[in-house]
Amino acid sequence: FSATALESLARNRFVYFLEKVLSIRPDLTHEDDTAPMDRGVVIHDILEQVYTAIAAQSGRYATRSSGTWKIAQSGEIPLAVFDPAKADDLLALARGIAEEEFKKAERRPSRHLGHPAVWETEKRKLLQVIENFVRMDIETARAENRYPALFEMKFDSKHDLPVTLNRGEEQIQLKGKIDRVDLIFNTDGELDRLLVVDYKSKS
């Protein structure tokens, strides 16, 4: 099960039966509007590209040493570093990636982006959402010693990240994607906590 599927099951079993078992989904009736699912996919694609690009050029990594994860100049996990002095460059990078992802979405016939005038307005809103995420990290990440590190991370047995809910003898295997995982280090540069970010719920 995915976490979303379990939420759907808990919320309305009949809708779950229709959508997940019979594969019956509601029709898109507002063809002039951007489909919420496609809007979400575009946001996720842009944020993944933006944060991956920032991490790739940062020169900071999380590396495992003596059973502890630490910040280093080389290592296994690139860390996205948000230097307030480079705010303009980071925002320009985000805008450039967003524009490229908009073009890709427009070339895909499977995307329901709506009427061109509606989509133009939607693009401006999406760009503001992306900039807000980046600005928030520019303003807060360094003070919190927090580094966005893992993006759109899939978890299930196929990706060697099995997640299981246990209740007595019963087990439920979960699968899905974590939008973003930030690594928070202590003053000694050792990993202290993980912060899981879910874009959709703004949490």
Side-chain angles (χ1 to χ4, degrees):
F1 291 93
S2 70
T4 304
L6 287 177
E7 281 182 347
S8 174
L9 178 62
R11 194 167 46 249
N12 189 317
R13 291 181 182 190
F14 183 64
V15 170
Y16 178 90
F17 175 71
L18 292 175
E19 293 186 353
K20 303 296 182 185
V21 179
L22 300 182
S23 298
I24 298 172
R25 300 191 182 279
D27 289 332
L28 292 171
T29 54
H30 301 289
E31 295 180 3
D32 286 345
D33 295 339
T34 303
M37 181 67 75
D38 289 307
R39 182 181 189 276
V41 168
V42 171
I43 289 176
H44 279 252
D45 288 348
I46 293 170
L47 288 171
E48 181 183 9
Q49 295 294 326
V50 168
Y51 280 87
T52 300
I54 293 170
Q57 67 185 20
S58 74
R60 291 281 185 91
Y61 297 83
T63 188
R64 195 173 179 85
S65 174
S66 303
T68 305
W69 287 92
K70 299 180 180 179
I71 298 177
Q73 301 302 315
S74 63
E76 296 96 306
I77 304 174
L79 301 174
V81 176
F82 290 87
D83 182 352
K86 297 180 180 176
D88 290 341
D89 293 338
L90 293 171
L91 288 167
L93 173 68
R95 287 185 204 105
I97 290 172
E99 292 298 336
E100 285 302 312
E101 289 299 316
F102 291 152
K103 289 174 186 172
K104 285 182 191 176
E106 289 160 6
R107 289 194 295 267
R108 289 183 184 154
S110 60
R111 293 278 182 262
H112 299 90
L113 304 178
H115 189 277
V118 173
W119 173 236
E120 283 302 316
T121 302
E122 196 64 41
K123 283 197 291 189
R124 289 194 291 273
K125 292 179 187 175
L126 293 176
L127 191 56
Q128 191 63 56
V129 169
I130 302 304
E131 288 183 5
N132 287 345
F133 271 107
V134 174
R135 279 198 182 95
M136 183 195 73
D137 284 318
I138 290 169
E139 293 168 6
T140 63
R142 177 176 273 192
E144 296 169 359
N145 221 7
R146 177 175 55 79
Y147 299 87
L150 302 168
F151 317 107
E152 300 298 324
M153 192 175 82
K154 293 179 181 177
F155 60 89
D156 55 27
S157 55
K158 179 181 171 184
H159 296 90
D160 201 28
L161 277 171
V163 178
T164 307
L165 289 179
N166 294 306
R167 183 179 172 191
E169 299 281 323
E170 295 177 306
Q171 289 188 338
I172 296 176
Q173 298 290 330
L174 293 182
K175 64 179 181 179
K177 269 198 273 190
I178 298 173
D179 295 347
R180 196 176 100 196
V181 179
D182 293 4
L183 307 185
I184 302 174
F185 295 85
N186 62 24
T187 53
D188 296 325
E190 295 181 349
L191 183 62
D192 181 50
R193 286 175 292 143
L194 302 177
L195 175 67
V196 176
V197 178
D198 181 41
Y199 300 137
K200 182 171 57 183
S201 66
K202 302 178 183 176
S203 61

